[in-house]
Amino acid sequence: MSSSPSDWEVVIGLEVHVQLHTRAKVFASSPWGFGKEPNEQVDPVVLGLPGTLPVVNREAVEKSILFGLVVGSSVPEQCAWDRKNYFYPDNPKNYQLTQKDFPVVVGGQVEIELPGASRNVMGEHKFIRIHHAHLEEDVGKLSHAGSGSLVDYNRAGVPLLEIVTEPDLRSSAEAEAFLRSLVALLTQAGVADCDMEKGQLRCDCNVSIRRRGAEKLGTRTETKNLNSISSVRDTVIYETARQIRELEAGRSITQETRGWNAELSRGYVLRDKEDAHDYRYFPDPDIPTLRISRETVARLQKLVPENLYDRQRRYVEKFGLPFTAASVLVANRELAEWFEAAAAAHPANPQGIANLVTNDLLRDLAASGGAGAAPADEVLPGVSLASCPIKPAQLAGLVKLTDDGVISKQQAKEVFAEMFKTGQEAVTIVDAKGLRQNSDTGELEKIVQEVIADPAVAKSIAEYRAGNEKAINALKGPIMKRTQGKANPVLIDQLLRKFLG
Amino acid sequence: MADALHTLSAAELGRRLSAGLLTSRTLCEALIARYHLVNKKVGAFTHLDEADVLAQAEASDARRKAGEGRGPLEGIPVAIKDNIAVKGQPLTCSSKMLASLVSPYDAHVTERLRAAGAILYGRLNMDEFAMGSSTENSAIQKTFNPWDLACIPGGSSGGSAAALAAGLVPLALGSDTGGSIRQPASHCGVVGLKPTYGLISRFGLVAFASSLDQIGPMARCIEDCELLLRALASADARDMTCFGPSDRAFTPAGDAKKLRIGIPKGFLGKGVGAEVATAVTAAIEFYRSQGCAISEVELPSADLAVPTYYVVATAEASSNLGRYDGVRYGHRSASAGTPVEMMTNSRSEGFGAEVKRRILLGTFVLSAGYADAYYMRALRARSKIRAEYLAALATVDVLLTPTVPTPAFKVGEKASDPLQLYLEDIFTIPANLAGLPAISVPCGKSGHLPVGFHLVGAPLSEAKLLAAGRLFEAAHGFAHQQAAL
């Protein structure tokens, strides 16, 4: 008898490899970056030439500590590097410098947000524990061409932070949510760019299943080198289904290392446990144990940005923003800070500002090519505000003009478009275009009375009085025409209702 | 000039150069002539670019003439062991694996020598990747002891010691992982100093066992040894284990006659030859006669040193030598299909027997299931040995033993018995394990072969070692000695 999938619980742990945002490589002074000719970004140290020695890049260590602070880990007093020995042509020294016993980050947690019932409803929040994160060097890339093999060492020695979670994730949706949060934390703190198309974030995914309610973890498999959030999600779905199928057919799960073919959406066996490498780890004798001073930690603590979800809660509670707008804003730190600067310049109406930012500003930024090369990953609004033509205070000025009744909401959209095009102040545009609304009650009363007296509209007046609300709109056109469209529409509406009784 | 230039000390040559009595070009020409006469017999050098040497000498002479001399080493040739990088010169480590390698960069010590105006004078033979005590493990050539060409010069810096003893060069660089400077210095009757670990940058020294390796000076007298040491020691941000210039290492040691000398208990029982024992005992008596306090010290874990060393050194070596795979540089096998086959075959063909033996041993002691029993245990033994040495050196200034139990042996005599050969380093290894400075000073002969004694001091006590050596040297006729060739 077959049981339903809901009888099973999936247990997921992730190992996320993130290339850190640094100028130089992790143990060499050679710079690194994407899109260079093969073997352009190498030096004697990167190539492991005889006699060369590693020197720890301080910036890479500090970015790692900053990540630890972002996830609330206790920064260890010291960290150290070990050698992981294995032979492969992409590995210039045939050992990788990594941290086995004394990683730079120990513990911590990442808050995640699951999808809500609809786009406008906040989903469940959960905390995923970080076991540790260690700082290591990336390897080169091997490719096969014709009868030979080619190797490019540009990537060799790029600082790689491997973030290892506890097995706290329970679904593909949680895995996806975790990675989204992680990417937001890493990018917002400037720790990493996480551009998945450039291979800056790669994931190993450990999956096991157990009967719901069971304590004991099942045998896990590890699927290696997933380079997108969707691949992780698909792997979890695939691997869960496969393991359920195996166990329900009376077979057992083999502890094995697997690969993922994203094109076919299928996993495959790379090697089983019997073939596991003996990496012969030992402490690297070239790099002394690194003491992490409390002064350094205190200095880095100041660089920790407000947590994504703390910010989201604040926007909802303090600014009264709807969840959707808050979640869009906080996903991008630059955008959120831009919004807050605008809100500070016009504290009376944060909702009005959020509305313009999340709708008009994001739309126009996206249409103008994202205003710069922004990391366009699958989750976050990939906009950069570096070259945004509108300054926060200018947007606040626009909202204030609307709030003060100087222009209508409809006119505000037109003024915004002009501001985005020219970078001018809202008030300058309003004056230049003569958009100022006419809110002079005395003058408008006169015009309204004249229009009502015009026999051409008598039919509409009769309909309105007969109970057809919409018929009143036919009177607004002639009023707008007489005022060159400047009459305050709210005021006109009030006056018409007053005179028509 | 009365003296043949090749017999003079670096200090004396420096004085003559300064006084305008000599040019670097004349000196180098004389040494090149000597090289043509002698090197074939001794086999110390594996490479000498004469045109480059003369060009350097002329540049040095021009600097001096322009009043831009760079100090006491200006114009003085320094020969370099073939595991220390000099840009544009071979860096073979006397291995078939690196036979074709030309270094694209300078080691830190090479930069220091250039900055001091020294002449970078050729490449010296060694045991392959510094693994050995006789230089017989060189894949390039044999080196012979200038005092008896049927004997080994010691190793692994055998080329360095032999070049000095044969009058081929006044100064040489060696490297020392378990005795590789001091043991050949003893066998060839020259001075060799292994500095405190971290005093000299290892950047550009091809690694054998990174936590033990140190570059050090070799010379025919204490004065020259100190001259070279001072030039080499400086801070270097490219080696995280280098703490840079430490004035403490060069602080005058005061009156050498007041040094407290410790004699490890029972050292004469460790297979020490009769004539070696006689020479070293005479040295101890000399120091006693000078007023030094001589006392016996206990080092209970000293017997652990050799086995500990062969676990730690081979473990690190197995990893350090992993990079030689034919992918990026060095020997690449012609017979290979896949990349992994190419790496395997290149290593099988490129390494000699002793290097393979140590890689296998090191791989074994680090492997899963054995690392705790061997490698981790060796680390604990190493800590214990270091603690005992530091404790002993808190009560005495230096520890004195023979450098090597027996004088140089015949070429081939121990080639089939690696374990016997490993005992050559029984007195020298603890200084590497504990990171301490140590020196070998010539103190007599066993037959016609030189014998040296060995001093170990506390960290950064180089000045004391040199002062003690100077006191002995001044009273005896062993400085500047050269074999008749």
Side-chain angles (χ1 to χ4, degrees), chain B residues 173-229:
Chain B
L173 294 189
S175 70
D176 191 315
T177 306
S180 279
I181 285 176
R182 295 157 288 157
Q183 185 258 17
S186 177
H187 281 337
C188 290
V190 301
V191 178
L193 185 143
K194 181 203 88 75
T196 307
Y197 185 81
L199 182 66
I200 294 177
S201 169
R202 291 182 295 119
F203 183 79
L205 168 65
V206 179
F208 159 15
S210 316
S211 73
L212 303 162
D213 295 342
Q214 272 290 285
I215 293 169
M218 299 174 75
R220 286 189 296 261
C221 64
I222 298 286
E223 185 182 19
D224 286 4
C225 185
E226 179 168 0
L227 204 60
L228 189 49
L229 178 67

XYZ file of all heavy atoms in Angstrom, chain B residues 173-229:
412
model
N 74.396 30.634 0.077
C 73.129 30.433 0.771
C 72.807 28.943 0.791
O 72.979 28.250 -0.205
C 71.977 31.146 0.050
C 71.971 32.661 0.001
C 70.639 33.155 -0.560
C 72.212 33.240 1.380
N 72.336 28.504 1.950
C 71.816 27.148 2.056
C 70.410 27.214 2.591
O 69.889 28.288 2.903
N 69.792 26.066 2.691
C 68.512 25.992 3.399
C 68.574 24.791 4.310
O 69.314 23.837 4.049
C 67.349 25.855 2.416
O 67.365 24.572 1.815
N 67.837 24.878 5.415
C 67.996 23.886 6.479
C 66.613 23.499 7.001
O 65.873 24.336 7.506
C 68.839 24.531 7.600
C 69.300 23.526 8.648
O 68.462 22.694 9.084
O 70.484 23.587 9.041
N 66.273 22.229 6.842
C 64.981 21.719 7.299
C 65.154 20.783 8.491
O 64.302 20.712 9.375
C 64.268 21.009 6.128
O 64.207 21.901 5.020
C 62.860 20.556 6.508
N 66.317 20.060 8.486
C 66.608 19.180 9.619
C 68.095 19.147 9.921
O 68.564 18.348 10.731
N 68.842 20.016 9.238
C 70.293 20.044 9.408
C 71.013 20.316 8.094
O 72.238 20.238 8.020
N 70.260 20.641 7.070
C 70.798 20.729 5.705
C 71.813 21.832 5.473
O 72.485 21.842 4.453
C 69.656 20.882 4.698
O 69.079 19.630 4.422
N 71.934 22.789 6.402
C 73.035 23.757 6.338
C 74.183 23.265 7.212
O 75.352 23.236 6.811
C 72.573 25.158 6.826
C 71.703 25.819 5.759
C 73.764 26.033 7.196
C 71.109 27.166 6.176
N 73.842 22.851 8.440
C 74.865 22.585 9.455
C 75.624 21.288 9.222
O 76.830 21.207 9.445
C 74.188 22.594 10.836
C 73.630 23.966 11.214
C 72.527 23.880 12.237
N 71.291 23.352 11.687
C 70.320 22.779 12.381
N 70.470 22.615 13.692
N 69.236 22.333 11.791
N 74.920 20.242 8.767
C 75.581 18.960 8.554
C 76.622 19.038 7.431
O 77.771 18.636 7.624
C 74.511 17.871 8.326
C 75.038 16.464 8.199
C 75.085 16.023 6.736
O 75.024 16.861 5.840
N 75.246 14.726 6.526
N 76.300 19.594 6.249
C 77.353 19.735 5.231
C 78.444 20.729 5.649
O 79.607 20.552 5.290
C 76.594 20.213 3.980
C 75.273 20.702 4.463
C 74.971 19.945 5.721
N 78.069 21.769 6.424
C 79.085 22.706 6.919
C 80.099 21.943 7.766
O 81.315 22.121 7.633
C 78.433 23.818 7.740
N 79.595 21.064 8.636
C 80.475 20.264 9.484
C 81.365 19.356 8.637
O 82.577 19.273 8.840
C 79.619 19.436 10.455
O 80.427 18.604 11.256
N 80.777 18.683 7.670
C 81.531 17.741 6.831
C 82.573 18.432 5.957
O 83.556 17.826 5.569
C 80.580 16.938 5.936
C 79.876 15.806 6.650
N 80.366 15.217 7.791
C 78.725 15.150 6.364
C 79.545 14.257 8.182
N 78.527 14.183 7.333
N 82.341 19.695 5.617
C 83.263 20.389 4.717
C 84.136 21.416 5.451
O 84.894 22.160 4.831
C 82.493 21.078 3.588
S 81.767 19.906 2.427
N 83.984 21.514 6.780
C 84.858 22.404 7.547
C 84.539 23.872 7.368
O 85.425 24.720 7.378
N 83.256 24.206 7.193
C 82.878 25.622 7.076
C 81.834 25.950 8.145
O 81.375 25.072 8.874
C 82.353 25.964 5.660
C 83.413 25.650 4.623
C 81.053 25.218 5.354
N 81.478 27.249 8.214
C 80.490 27.702 9.188
C 79.120 27.725 8.519
O 78.976 28.204 7.394
C 80.836 29.135 9.681
C 79.765 29.629 10.655
C 82.214 29.145 10.324
N 78.126 27.192 9.213
C 76.761 27.248 8.675
C 75.782 27.572 9.777
O 75.841 26.981 10.858
N 74.907 28.520 9.534
C 73.972 28.940 10.570
C 72.532 28.787 10.096
O 72.182 29.226 9.000
C 74.246 30.397 10.963
C 73.412 30.951 12.132
C 74.268 31.886 12.978
C 72.176 31.692 11.675
N 71.730 28.128 10.922
C 70.277 28.082 10.682
C 69.639 29.084 11.625
O 69.696 28.913 12.832
C 69.702 26.701 10.966
C 68.189 26.657 10.681
C 67.440 25.569 11.421
C 66.964 25.994 12.794
N 65.789 26.913 12.758
N 69.028 30.140 11.094
C 68.473 31.179 11.972
C 67.207 30.704 12.697
O 66.635 29.680 12.362
C 68.129 32.311 11.001
C 68.758 31.954 9.705
C 68.883 30.467 9.690
N 66.800 31.495 13.650
C 65.505 31.328 14.302
C 64.429 31.262 13.224
O 64.458 32.048 12.271
C 65.206 32.551 15.200
O 66.303 32.745 16.086
C 63.915 32.353 15.996
N 63.470 30.330 13.384
C 62.396 30.238 12.396
C 61.646 31.573 12.333
O 61.189 32.082 13.356
C 61.425 29.111 12.770
C 60.360 28.876 11.713
C 60.645 28.120 10.578
C 59.099 29.436 11.837
C 59.698 27.916 9.594
C 58.134 29.242 10.852
C 58.440 28.484 9.741
O 57.492 28.289 8.767
N 61.586 32.148 11.132
C 60.878 33.410 10.967
C 61.783 34.626 10.859
O 61.317 35.715 10.552
N 63.082 34.446 11.111
C 63.977 35.612 11.017
C 64.195 36.008 9.556
O 64.340 37.181 9.221
C 65.320 35.318 11.699
C 66.320 36.484 11.716
C 65.798 37.632 12.573
C 67.691 36.046 12.221
N 64.218 34.980 8.677
C 64.461 35.243 7.257
C 63.245 34.768 6.473
O 62.728 33.676 6.698
C 65.738 34.502 6.780
C 66.966 35.098 7.481
C 65.878 34.568 5.269
C 68.254 34.401 7.139
N 62.785 35.593 5.549
C 61.608 35.244 4.749
C 61.865 33.982 3.927
O 62.938 33.808 3.336
C 61.265 36.395 3.808
O 60.311 35.978 2.861
N 60.851 33.125 3.874
C 60.931 31.931 3.032
C 60.366 32.191 1.639
O 60.304 31.273 0.821
C 60.145 30.781 3.676
C 60.775 30.235 4.946
C 59.965 29.066 5.493
N 58.643 29.474 5.912
C 57.505 29.004 5.382
N 57.524 28.109 4.424
N 56.342 29.443 5.819
N 59.918 33.420 1.362
C 59.336 33.689 0.048
C 60.394 33.464 -1.025
O 61.431 34.121 -1.031
C 58.798 35.120 -0.034
C 58.128 35.411 -1.348
C 56.836 34.981 -1.601
C 58.803 36.082 -2.357
C 56.219 35.229 -2.825
C 58.204 36.333 -3.587
C 56.916 35.902 -3.815
N 60.140 32.505 -1.902
C 61.103 32.177 -2.940
C 61.983 30.986 -2.616
O 62.804 30.590 -3.427
N 61.817 30.432 -1.436
C 62.492 29.173 -1.093
C 61.514 28.049 -1.418
O 60.407 28.004 -0.880
C 62.840 29.131 0.402
C 63.282 27.755 0.943
C 64.606 27.322 0.315
C 63.399 27.770 2.471
N 61.904 27.152 -2.296
C 61.008 26.056 -2.672
C 60.776 25.193 -1.433
O 61.721 24.692 -0.823
C 61.583 25.235 -3.828
C 60.636 24.091 -4.185
C 61.801 26.140 -5.034
N 59.498 25.048 -1.075
C 59.179 24.413 0.202
C 59.452 22.909 0.185
O 59.122 22.216 -0.764
C 57.710 24.669 0.529
N 60.080 22.444 1.267
C 60.173 21.016 1.550
C 59.209 20.772 2.710
O 58.157 20.160 2.535
C 61.635 20.665 1.829
C 61.890 19.388 2.614
C 60.915 18.406 2.800
C 63.167 19.151 3.139
C 61.190 17.235 3.528
C 63.440 17.995 3.856
C 62.446 17.050 4.065
N 59.536 21.278 3.885
C 58.631 21.171 5.029
C 58.505 22.566 5.630
O 59.382 23.032 6.362
C 59.171 20.188 6.047
N 57.406 23.226 5.306
C 57.272 24.666 5.542
C 57.490 25.101 6.987
O 57.998 26.183 7.236
C 55.882 25.122 5.098
O 55.552 24.536 3.863
N 57.097 24.267 7.945
C 57.211 24.682 9.345
C 58.624 24.480 9.879
O 58.906 24.836 11.023
C 56.212 23.924 10.218
O 56.620 22.585 10.391
N 59.507 23.900 9.062
C 60.875 23.612 9.498
C 61.921 24.343 8.659
O 63.026 24.611 9.135
C 61.140 22.103 9.403
C 60.200 21.184 10.184
C 60.272 19.760 9.665
C 60.540 21.218 11.667
N 61.568 24.650 7.404
C 62.528 25.236 6.461
C 63.008 26.619 6.898
O 62.196 27.457 7.272
C 61.860 25.452 5.081
C 61.436 24.171 4.378
O 61.924 23.091 4.750
O 60.608 24.279 3.449
N 64.291 26.856 6.820
C 64.836 28.214 6.932
C 66.020 28.354 5.989
O 66.813 27.432 5.840
C 65.308 28.523 8.359
C 64.216 29.079 9.272
C 63.790 30.501 8.891
O 64.482 31.462 9.136
N 62.612 30.618 8.276
N 66.111 29.531 5.367
C 67.304 29.870 4.592
C 68.356 30.338 5.593
O 68.019 30.938 6.615
C 66.987 31.012 3.597
C 66.000 30.519 2.536
C 68.259 31.566 2.972
C 65.424 31.618 1.662
N 69.623 30.047 5.307
C 70.665 30.526 6.214
C 71.984 30.752 5.496
O 72.190 30.287 4.368
N 72.883 31.514 6.154
C 74.178 31.836 5.564
C 75.207 30.730 5.795
O 75.218 30.073 6.842
C 74.582 33.108 6.318
C 73.944 32.951 7.669
C 72.689 32.153 7.468
N 76.095 30.561 4.818
C 77.232 29.643 4.960
C 78.478 30.390 4.502
O 78.434 31.149 3.536
C 77.004 28.379 4.127
C 75.751 27.613 4.572
S 75.339 26.195 3.529
C 76.571 25.012 4.059
N 79.587 30.171 5.235
C 80.809 30.927 4.959
C 82.009 30.172 5.533
O 81.844 29.132 6.167
C 80.711 32.317 5.584
N 83.194 30.727 5.309
C 84.391 30.047 5.826
C 84.832 30.602 7.176
O 85.793 30.121 7.753
C 85.535 30.141 4.801
C 85.331 29.221 3.607
C 86.579 29.162 2.727
N 86.885 30.441 2.136
C 86.557 30.789 0.883
N 85.902 29.934 0.108
N 86.877 31.972 0.423
N 84.131 31.632 7.667
C 84.468 32.151 8.988
C 83.236 32.811 9.598
O 82.279 33.129 8.892
C 85.629 33.139 8.920
S 85.235 34.620 7.979
N 83.277 33.006 10.893
C 82.133 33.569 11.616
C 81.806 34.979 11.129
O 80.642 35.333 10.944
C 82.443 33.603 13.142
C 82.668 32.189 13.677
C 81.348 34.342 13.890
C 81.425 31.354 13.822
N 82.847 35.777 10.897
C 82.612 37.166 10.484
C 81.793 37.225 9.201
O 80.837 37.992 9.081
C 83.962 37.876 10.291
C 83.809 39.357 9.972
C 85.147 40.071 9.718
O 86.149 39.375 9.428
O 85.161 41.313 9.799
N 82.166 36.370 8.231
C 81.439 36.358 6.957
C 80.010 35.864 7.153
O 79.063 36.342 6.516
C 82.141 35.423 5.958
C 83.425 36.030 5.411
O 83.795 37.134 5.859
O 84.052 35.391 4.547
N 79.862 34.871 8.018
C 78.552 34.292 8.279
C 77.616 35.373 8.815
O 76.456 35.500 8.380
C 78.709 33.144 9.272
S 77.190 32.242 9.574
N 78.128 36.188 9.720
C 77.321 37.261 10.304
C 76.990 38.332 9.269
O 75.862 38.834 9.210
C 78.040 37.880 11.508
C 77.232 39.001 12.118
C 77.735 39.476 13.467
O 78.742 38.933 13.960
O 77.098 40.393 14.034
N 77.969 38.643 8.445
C 77.790 39.638 7.377
C 76.600 39.249 6.492
O 75.720 40.065 6.183
C 79.081 39.667 6.552
C 79.449 40.891 5.745
C 79.596 42.095 6.652
C 80.773 40.619 5.005
N 76.588 37.985 6.112
C 75.533 37.508 5.210
C 74.186 37.434 5.947
O 73.152 37.812 5.399
C 75.931 36.133 4.651
C 75.069 35.541 3.533
C 74.817 36.539 2.407
C 75.738 34.279 2.966
N 74.223 36.975 7.188
C 72.986 36.882 7.965
C 72.311 38.244 8.080
O 71.101 38.382 7.892
C 73.291 36.330 9.363
C 72.090 36.227 10.308
C 71.100 35.180 9.809
C 72.532 35.899 11.731
